[in-house]
Amino acid sequence: MAFVHLVQGNEGAALARLEELRGLRETQAVLVFIGEVHRARGDYEQAIAHLERAIDIGARVITYWESSEYLAPLHDDPRWVALLDRMRAAQP
């Protein structure tokens, strides 16, 4: 719903949905989704921060991150390469 509210131009409702997500148990999936929503809002700082946290707790799904249309705009950010490098380094 956060994405729907963003598309509809309802930033307040999108932020309310983000707050609901933050209230969920912190899992890799939740953190990545929050990162994707922040990226869609144009808040790359928060997007990167949530993706870093997802890696901290074990995210290793590089193929999803590389193919996600929601994360694609981050590919030009120098921190993006560092995120993928961290994830690759942690691979078993």
Side-chain angles (χ1 to χ4, degrees), residues 9-32:
N10 191 342
E11 180 83 4
L15 290 173
R17 294 292 184 193
L18 274 174
E19 286 305 314
E20 290 174 17
L21 288 169
R22 286 188 187 106
L24 297 176
R25 187 172 65 86
E26 191 174 75
T27 65
Q28 297 166 34
V30 167
L31 289 165
V32 171

Side-chain angles (χ1 to χ4, degrees), residues 4-81:
V4 171
H5 290 303
L6 285 174
V7 169
Q8 293 173 341
N10 191 342
E11 180 83 4
L15 290 173
R17 294 292 184 193
L18 274 174
E19 286 305 314
E20 290 174 17
L21 288 169
R22 286 188 187 106
L24 297 176
R25 187 172 65 86
E26 191 174 75
T27 65
Q28 297 166 34
V30 167
L31 289 165
V32 171
F33 185 72
I34 291 171
E36 289 173 331
V37 173
H38 278 297
R39 198 288 312 153
R41 293 181 58 241
D43 187 347
Y44 286 25
E45 295 299 319
Q46 283 297 311
I48 294 288
H50 282 85
L51 295 174
E52 287 174 337
R53 180 66 186 129
I55 293 170
D56 291 344
I57 66 169
R60 303 291 180 264
V61 190
I62 291 174
T63 54
Y64 173 77
W65 288 31
E66 290 176 324
S67 64
S68 169
E69 66 184 85
Y70 302 111
L71 297 176
L74 293 175
H75 293 189
D76 293 332
D77 189 306
R79 297 170 294 179
W80 177 254
V81 173

